[in-house]
């Protein structure tokens, strides 16, 4: 039985419209101009990292709390599954356990899993880079699927096989350089790859 981990933003879901809308509301409430196009072009790192580009450090914790308060009422209806995401998770689920490991707030991530019907067994939120590697090791993950170089670094350091999708902010060359075992154009290719991999024992 395998354990397959997935990242969320720009791996399983196109969260750009939802995240952008929440930042627009923050901009309205605070009077601070936020370039939401820039924000959504570099998704991956923790929320606090991005907020620090726009607000003084002392304000970041409060605004991170406010962002997470706003998120459930604004973002979910604006977010769609990435092409092939449902099929990719189902393919992994048929061979074992599926987990979601994301820098996103866990309850917010669970909203997307539930709304989109993603076959995820357990959600691990607020995990980034070394934190993702810690979860992968603790859960005995065989494979980790993500769109960011730090996802691939986490997979490599944990001993999981890194499957990269070039649907996020990082190029195929960057993902390969970060240790990806394979780089796919998108999750539409995952089920076939996974089946072949299983035949050779993941």
């Amino acid at each position: 039985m395998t354990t397959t981990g997935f990242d969320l933003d720009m791996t399983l879901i196109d969260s750009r419209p939802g995240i952008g809308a929440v930042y627009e509301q923050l901009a309205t409430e605070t009077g601070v101009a936020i370039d939401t196009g820039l924000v959504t072009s570099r998704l991956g790192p923790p929320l606090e990292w991005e907020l620090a580009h726009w607000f003084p450090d002392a304000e970041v914790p409060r605004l991170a709390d406010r962002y997470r308060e706003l998120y459930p009422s604004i973002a979910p209806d604006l977010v769609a599954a990435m092409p092939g995401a449902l099929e990719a998770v189902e393919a992994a689920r048929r061979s074992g356990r599926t987990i979601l490991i994301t820098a996103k707030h866990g309850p917010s991530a669970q909203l997307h899993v539930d709304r989109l019907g993603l076959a995820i067994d357990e959600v691990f939120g607020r995990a980034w880079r070394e934190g993702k590697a810690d979860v992968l090791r603790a859960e005995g993950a065989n494979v980790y699927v993500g769109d960011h170089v730090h996802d691939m670094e986490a997979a490599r350091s944990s001993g999981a096989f890194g499957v990269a999708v070039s649907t996020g902010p990082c190029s195929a060359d960057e993902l390969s350089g970060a240790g990806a075992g394979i780089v796919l154009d998108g999750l539409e290719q995952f089920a076939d790859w996974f089946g072949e991999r299983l035949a050779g024992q993941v």
Side-chain angles (χ1 to χ4, degrees):
M1 187 175 83
T2 63
T3 295
T4 304
F6 290 89
D7 174 51
L8 184 63
D9 293 319
M10 302 312 298
T11 298
L12 291 179
I13 63 172
D14 184 352
S15 52
R16 291 172 296 184
I19 289 173
V22 180
Y23 272 96
E24 287 170 4
Q25 180 61 31
L26 274 185
T28 298
E29 291 183 2
T30 62
V32 173
I34 299 174
D35 184 342
T36 58
L38 180 57
V39 169
T40 58
S41 74
R42 56 190 184 196
L43 298 180
L47 169 63
E48 287 82 359
W49 291 25
E50 183 61 45
L51 288 171
H53 289 290
W54 309 102
F55 299 98
D57 289 348
E59 289 294 298
V60 167
R62 178 181 67 82
L63 291 168
D65 287 344
R66 179 56 177 157
Y67 176 99
R68 293 180 179 117
E69 181 182 13
L70 291 167
Y71 193 95
S73 63
I74 295 176
D77 288 344
L78 302 175
V79 172
M82 296 292 283
L86 293 170
E87 296 82 0
V89 178
E90 288 286 356
R93 181 82 173 285
R94 285 194 294 270
S95 75
R97 184 165 173 257
T98 56
I99 58 176
L100 183 69
I101 313 172
T102 175
K104 190 182 290 297
H105 186 47
S108 296
Q110 188 70 56
L111 286 174
H112 294 299
V113 168
D114 295 342
R115 180 180 177 278
L116 297 172
L118 294 163
I120 295 291
D121 291 306
E122 191 167 1
V123 172
F124 298 87
R126 308 283 284 272
W128 175 244
R129 209 151 72 183
E130 295 87 354
K132 289 189 174 188
D134 290 343
V135 176
L136 289 166
R137 278 190 291 269
E139 298 300 315
N142 309 91
V143 173
Y144 188 52
V145 187
D147 68 287
H148 201 281
V149 293
H150 294 320
D151 294 330
M152 296 303 100
E153 291 167 359
R156 182 177 60 189
S157 69
S158 72
F161 187 91
V163 178
V165 286
S166 55
T167 48
C170 301
S171 69
D173 286 344
E174 289 171 329
L175 293 162
S176 293
I182 188 171
V183 181
L184 306 177
D185 293 333
L187 285 177
E188 303 98 319
Q189 301 170 341
F190 179 83
D192 287 343
W193 171 84
F194 193 70
E196 292 170 6
R197 183 78 180 177
L198 280 180
Q201 297 299 305
V202 172

